[in-house]
Amino acid sequence: MNRLENKLGKILTFTIITSLTFITLYFMQCIFVYNQYFQTGNERVLINFFTYLITFASGIIFAIVSQIFNTEKVKVAPRIVFIIFYIIAELFVCYLVRGYDLPKVLLFITPVQYVLQSMLFEYFTYHDDFVNLWEDKSGKQLREYLYHNNMQAQDLAQKEKGVQLELTGISIFVFLVVLLMGVNKYHMGIIFVLLIFIFYVSVFLFFYVMKYFEKEAYFANIGFTRLIDDKKSYFKYVCAMFIFATLIGIVCSSNSALIKLKFNQTVTVKQNDAPPPPAPEMNIDYLNDVKTQLEKMYGNQGPNPIVELILQILKCALIIFAAGSVLIFLIRPFLSTGWKNFWKEHKLYKFFNKLLQDIQELILFIFTGKKKKVYATVQAKKFREVVNDFLRKTNKSKEKKAELDRLTKLFMSLINWGEKHGIDYQKTMAPAEYTLLIENFFINNKDEYNPESIKNVHTAGELFEKALYDKELLSVEEEKQYIKAVANII
Amino acid sequence: MKKYTAFIFAAICLVLLLIIPNRICQYICVSVISIILLSYFYSLILRKNIKIERSITELKLASREKVEISFTIKNTCFLPAFVFYFFDDVPYLYVFDEKNSGLITLRPYEIKKVTYTISARDRGKYSIGPVKVKSSDPLSLFDFDLEIPSTIDVTVRPARIKLITETIPGFPQGSLKIKNPCYEDITMHRSIREYKNGDEQKRINWRASAKFDSLFTNQYEDSYDAPFFVFLNLAEDDYELQSRLYYTEKAIEMAACIVERSRFLKQRCGFAAYGSDFPYLKPAQNQSDAILNILSLIKTVPGKLNYNPVKKLKSQLPVGTLLFVIGPEQVMSYFAKVEKNKENINTTNVGALKK
């Protein structure tokens, strides 16, 4: 099955999280630059071009690593180990490039970026597992299978709720960032605005992908596998709605609020006339007196050397134990069977191969055109209205009307056939005009249709017009000829 | 997303739009509101322009017979319905390949014809429809379900069985042909023949005779009518308990076969039954349909047939009526013949009623 939505979703995950981190970094940069509280002079929290580059590269690495982890069903502990080693490696790279000016902000941004991105990528793994379950089934078999095996569907539904919450949360966060920047009159450059636009477009398309998955799961439970035939057209309509909404947004937005809210703040200043109370006197000698008195009561209670030694040993043991646990925790994933098998079976190479294939497929899908399928439309039915109109305006006998009724039904089936082959009927066309179009169609497609077809079309058009405009009824042979001609064409 | 969630979201965006003096924030709010409104109106327009049409409202078929049902789905607006689910409710009837439901894409102004085959195992009255439809806007913010009340009343008649019904001449001049001059019908001219000694003068065709300069006599068709009358015994106690349902159904099928035969032969047909509602119809023309409708719905009644239907009906029916009594003996006789693998099983009748 074509999993294009899955691929699109993964790309959108990357763009959402990367744009979110860029927006956060820009916001933090604005705070550090404009806010006097943070301008200490000695402390520099570096957010510059290199920080953005590192974040972008982290996004790509996290995307690849998350996919591998999800495919190999890696547990939480190795993921934590990965992020710890990644942060160490990141800081090492920063040290190599920038010297001692380490961007401390990355210590906070990188884990958050990783966690958010992993959570969104996990959703697609759950979806893949769910679809793999029923891909080769359809109809009643699929319905019954999913009725009895609905664990993956439930997991997917739960995960979807989490993802929806996450996306809503980060959308609100970005909105608040923009609001705060606006209120504090921080400078919002074109790139920042573009980042906001990319973020919200990605979130919108992600919601579209989630809704698609939701519908897919719903109809799979009823027994239908193929949701939409023409996905490109569907996507175009979604994009058109978004563009239209965006244009309305551009036109209707401004820098002034329609309802202006005013805040009246009262400040009360208190003057303290009373003199400050005197500072208490500290009697340090009192402590020495207490110590002498205690020695008199209990004797010289000095530290026991054996107890001290035991405590020291325990302290060392605890430190060694803690250090050892951390080391084992960090090293253990590299000693597991899964890790050895991963390299033994060249899974990384296979992963990148598949990734390239997926990208190729997506590009091919976007840039290959599809032949438009023609279909029967409601317009064909208007032919009957045209004939009825004509009969109303002219005085025809009962037998003539009955004959035209019979012939019109057959002509309408001819129009339906024509519409399915791309020969559109217009209300203003005369019957012979339409049959001439069909004749031209046959002439242009000589290889597909036999020459008899042209003759049949011509006969059908001629006889129908004769019946329509002549006062006399068609003879029995003529009517049979007409019926045979239409039947041969259809 | 449920409808009210989308509207609450739109309301929050509207409030924010009114109070926030920032262009980007306002742009985000307006875009969200526009998307929600666009989706809502898309769904509303689509909902109002979906039409379902059926060519028939009534259907009569025999049990275990296959029949095609079709209806047309029309999208009379310029908006496509990308995910369009339809389901034609067909309770108690078997649908081949489950083609009464489907998931399609309806393009702008498209007509789609849906055809599926059904079969009924048991006789009775059923209803097909309404057609349930489910679709939404492209963003699935506003799903809609429609129930279009386009129903077909289906009357399932008793199954057709192979049963030969032979007629016995009732009275002359009718629809059935016979080679017996006793049943000559002077209203049905057949041909002319050469005059033979002894032919009556009034039978001479003078026009032909003048034309060919020789005497020719008219010949007429020999025909007769044999009105049918079927008496069906559905008294429960007359049938054995273990196979009661099967035998009574077979009896109904046999009665239906005879009635259909009478229709084929264009004979008057009457009907009476010891069954639910105790129907009684005197032999009349064009009554077969009504009798078959009764047979579609008739049920057994408790009790025993405690009279001789032949004696009772002899006085009520016209002379020459072919009386068919279908009861447990006739059914058992039928099954006995079937067991023997006989091919041409005949109905038995009491014979034409005579004075």
Side-chain angles (χ1 to χ4, degrees), chain A residues 402-421:
Chain A
E403 183 197 60
L404 280 171
D405 192 53
R406 289 194 303 273
L407 300 182
T408 307
K409 261 191 200 157
L410 284 168
F411 202 84
M412 275 171 66
S413 56
L414 186 65
I415 294 175
N416 273 334
W417 179 91
E419 293 231 317
K420 281 180 187 162
H421 290 80

Side-chain angles (χ1 to χ4, degrees), chain B residues 167 169 174-180 183 188-190 220-225 265 267:
Chain B
T167 52
S175 317
L176 300 166
K177 292 199 176 97
I178 189 170
K179 276 184 180 171
N180 187 343
Y183 294 94
M188 289 167 70
H189 186 262
R190 190 172 68 194
Y220 299 97
E221 286 286 358
D222 305 325
S223 65
Y224 69 95
D225 247 0
L265 297 173
Q267 300 300 300

Side-chain angles (χ1 to χ4, degrees), chain A residues 158-267:
Chain A
Q158 279 298 105
K159 190 71 193 163
E160 193 184 301
K161 282 182 192 163
V163 164
Q164 273 182 353
L165 209 65
E166 183 188 332
L167 282 177
T168 312
I170 59 179
S171 304
I172 292 170
F173 170 77
V174 169
F175 186 81
L176 286 170
V177 160
V178 173
L179 182 64
L180 282 168
M181 287 190 68
V183 162
N184 290 310
K185 298 207 188 327
Y186 291 157
H187 171 66
M188 288 193 261
I190 295 171
I191 296 173
F192 181 72
V193 173
L194 195 67
L195 279 170
I196 303 254
F197 182 74
I198 291 169
F199 175 78
Y200 277 108
V201 167
S202 307
V203 166
F204 170 78
L205 291 174
F206 197 98
F207 268 112
Y208 147 74
V209 168
M210 274 203 322
K211 284 288 166 193
Y212 184 88
F213 287 169
E214 210 180 283
K215 263 197 253 195
E216 195 179 43
Y218 175 82
F219 286 109
N221 277 294
I222 306 175
F224 296 102
T225 50
R226 213 171 162 71
L227 199 63
I228 297 167
D229 282 330
D230 193 359
K231 288 181 185 176
K232 260 191 192 168
S233 182
Y234 183 44
F235 189 69
K236 276 182 201 165
Y237 267 83
V238 167
C239 290
M241 285 174 75
F242 179 78
I243 290 166
F244 192 65
T246 309
L247 287 170
I248 296 174
I250 291 170
V251 166
C252 297
S253 57
S254 69
N255 276 322
S256 56
L258 288 163
I259 298 172
K260 289 180 176 58
L261 299 171
K262 282 181 188 167
F263 296 97
N264 290 326
Q265 195 176 9
T266 51
V267 177

Side-chain angles (χ1 to χ4, degrees), chain A residues 13 41 57 181 248 283 289 319 330 354 359 400 445 455 480:
Chain A
T13 306
M181 287 190 68
I248 296 174
N283 193 358
D289 290 337
I319 291 167
L330 289 173
K354 191 173 174 302
I359 293 168
K400 190 69 181 172
N445 295 291
K455 197 179 163 193
K480 278 188 184 163

Side-chain angles (χ1 to χ4, degrees), chain B residues 47-291:
Chain B
R47 186 196 170 106
K48 292 211 180 297
N49 285 283
I50 297 293
K51 303 218 184 315
I52 303 245
E53 281 174 7
R54 282 200 213 265
S55 49
I56 50 167
T57 52
E58 258 186 57
L59 180 68
K60 289 181 170 69
L61 69 147
S63 178
R64 288 169 232 146
E65 190 183 58
K66 285 186 195 174
V67 146
E68 260 188 15
I69 305 279
S70 68
F71 60 91
T72 317
I73 307 171
K74 284 186 196 173
N75 177 10
T76 56
C77 73
F78 61 97
L79 298 169
F82 287 102
V83 180
F84 188 89
Y85 170 73
F86 64 87
F87 173 71
D88 196 5
D89 198 7
V90 186
Y92 307 114
L93 300 174
Y94 179 73
V95 180
F96 290 87
D97 299 326
E98 294 186 342
K99 285 190 177 169
N100 60 325
S101 66
L103 189 64
I104 56 173
T105 299
L106 265 184
R107 285 161 287 196
Y109 301 109
E110 189 175 0
I111 304 176
K112 239 189 184 123
K113 193 173 179 185
V114 178
T115 312
Y116 57 93
T117 314
I118 58 160
S119 173
R121 199 189 65 167
D122 300 318
R123 59 187 177 92
K125 203 153 185 142
Y126 305 95
S127 178
I128 293 176
V131 179
K132 290 172 190 167
V133 143
K134 186 180 177 71
S135 188
S136 70
D137 59 289
L139 295 171
S140 308
L141 293 175
F142 299 95
D143 294 341
F144 64 86
D145 293 296
L146 278 179
E147 212 175 86
I148 298 161
S150 179
T151 52
I152 301 178
D153 292 320
V154 181
T155 309
V156 180
R157 287 174 174 172
R160 290 199 173 105
I161 55 171
K162 267 186 183 173
L163 197 64
I164 298 171
T165 305
E166 281 164 0
T167 52
I168 301 168
F171 48 84
Q173 295 180 12
S175 317
L176 300 166
K177 292 199 176 97
I178 189 170
K179 276 184 180 171
N180 187 343
C182 298
Y183 294 94
E184 198 175 48
D185 183 0
I186 57 163
T187 61
M188 289 167 70
H189 186 262
R190 190 172 68 194
S191 62
I192 53 173
R193 62 170 172 80
E194 278 186 13
Y195 177 81
K196 280 183 190 163
N197 262 332
D199 285 344
E200 288 178 31
Q201 268 193 348
K202 61 181 178 184
R203 284 180 168 272
I204 294 171
N205 190 327
W206 297 107
R207 199 187 277 268
S209 304
K211 196 173 178 181
F212 296 108
D213 207 22
S214 176
L215 284 174
F216 287 91
T217 314
N218 282 325
Q219 272 193 312
Y220 299 97
E221 286 286 358
D222 305 325
S223 65
Y224 69 95
D225 247 0
F228 282 41
F229 193 90
V230 179
F231 179 83
L232 179 61
N233 177 9
L234 291 178
E236 280 178 5
D237 294 343
D238 285 340
Y239 293 87
E240 281 178 22
L241 180 65
Q242 71 226 30
S243 46
R244 187 173 288 164
L245 179 66
Y246 186 50
Y247 273 40
T248 47
E249 287 298 315
K250 193 51 72 184
I252 295 167
E253 282 167 19
M254 287 168 70
C257 182
I258 296 166
V259 170
E260 291 224 1
R261 183 69 180 154
S262 78
R263 180 165 60 178
F264 176 76
L265 297 173
K266 293 179 194 165
Q267 300 300 300
R268 286 175 285 159
C269 188
F271 178 73
Y274 191 96
S276 56
D277 297 331
F278 296 93
Y280 177 76
L281 294 166
K282 280 191 175 164
Q285 279 290 5
N286 302 321
Q287 204 166 236
S288 315
D289 254 349
I291 297 168

Side-chain angles (χ1 to χ4, degrees), chain A residues 396 400 403-404 407 431-432 459-475 478 481:
Chain A
K396 299 277 181 192
K400 190 69 181 172
E403 183 197 60
L404 280 171
L407 300 182
T459 311
E462 218 178 41
L463 287 172
F464 187 83
E465 286 228 323
K466 186 180 175 187
L468 193 63
Y469 299 119
D470 195 4
K471 222 192 259 181
E472 302 295 326
L473 298 171
L474 287 179
S475 64
E478 280 175 332
Q481 212 180 349

